[in-house]
Amino acid sequence: MENKSIRPGQIWLDTEGKRIHAHGGSIMHIGDTFYWYGENKEKTLPGSGIWHWGVRCYASKDLYNWEDKGLIIPPYLEDKESPLHPISLMDRPHIIYNRFTKKYVCWIKVMQKDDSQKSTVLVADDILGPYTMVRKNLMPLGMSAGDFDLVVNPSDGKAYYYFERVHSEMICADLTEDYTDVTGYYSTHFPQPYPPFVREAPAHFFRKGLHYLVTSGTTGYFPNPSEVACSSLYHGP
């Protein structure tokens, strides 16, 4: 059955009639196709100990009907210490395209047993993979990096990494030319003493000459008011 509308509150099914699994996801537009990717939670059941089963991707022409393209980053079962093992608390994959290296670069955050958060970086020649891990257990700028967004300047190809320095402040950091690390240059924003005032879950967009950053308070899975800030520059203020 073809979808002709989005129905909030109802289970969203793919073109095969299966539940969509793209949690903590993002959408990337390539040519005439939208790609929606996120955490695959199909095996995450109470008591299973499984946090994820890789990163799954879907393709659509109209944003209503999504074709399952499978696991673009499968779980890694051989090593329980791997950030891609199903018991690893892997969250919020973000993919950007590097027009200079011709690579798709994926960053994911992984919550650690000591409550710190580290990053893993993978690259691929195609949005659908296969992806190769190039960095793991990365603490950018020596910081515990939580929720984040990746942004590419369309004019010069420079990339930026907005992330929550866990329970502290928001950081905007320049990425290296290959997008797989930070250069060391960064700016700090919205310093707060503790949750729920600390901002997280940054989402950046650019419109009519202004950069907008939408953020959430830190209340776990309980709802809270969003905030929107704007600036004429990537680094603010």
Side-chain angles (χ1 to χ4, degrees), residues 37-40 52-57 70-74 90 93 108:
Y37 58 87
E39 308 149 32
N40 178 29
H52 70 89
W53 200 258
V55 176
R56 187 174 288 278
C57 186
L71 295 176
I72 60 173
I73 302 175
M90 180 272 288
I108 57 177

Side-chain angles (χ1 to χ4, degrees), residues 40-54 75-77 79-90 111 113:
N40 178 29
K41 298 284 195 179
E42 64 179 327
K43 296 180 183 292
T44 302
L45 300 171
S48 68
I50 295 175
W51 181 261
H52 70 89
W53 200 258
Y76 188 74
L77 306 180
D79 179 8
K80 286 189 175 182
E81 299 302 317
S82 169
L84 298 179
H85 191 277
I87 65 173
S88 170
L89 303 181
M90 180 272 288
M111 295 178 282
K113 294 177 182 177

Side-chain angles (χ1 to χ4, degrees), residues 122-170:
L122 308 98
V123 299
D125 294 324
D126 188 275
I127 178 69
L128 298 179
Y131 283 83
T132 301
M133 190 184 303
V134 294
R135 299 188 191 279
K136 66 177 181 178
N137 297 325
L138 176 65
M139 294 190 71
L141 306 166
M143 301 176 185
S144 180
D147 294 351
F148 70 100
D149 198 4
L150 300 177
V151 180
V152 177
N153 185 334
S155 63
D156 62 11
K158 187 176 179 60
Y160 301 86
Y161 173 36
Y162 292 91
F163 68 90
E164 174 220 358
R165 185 179 187 180
V166 176
H167 294 173
S168 175
E169 60 191 345
M170 192 67 63

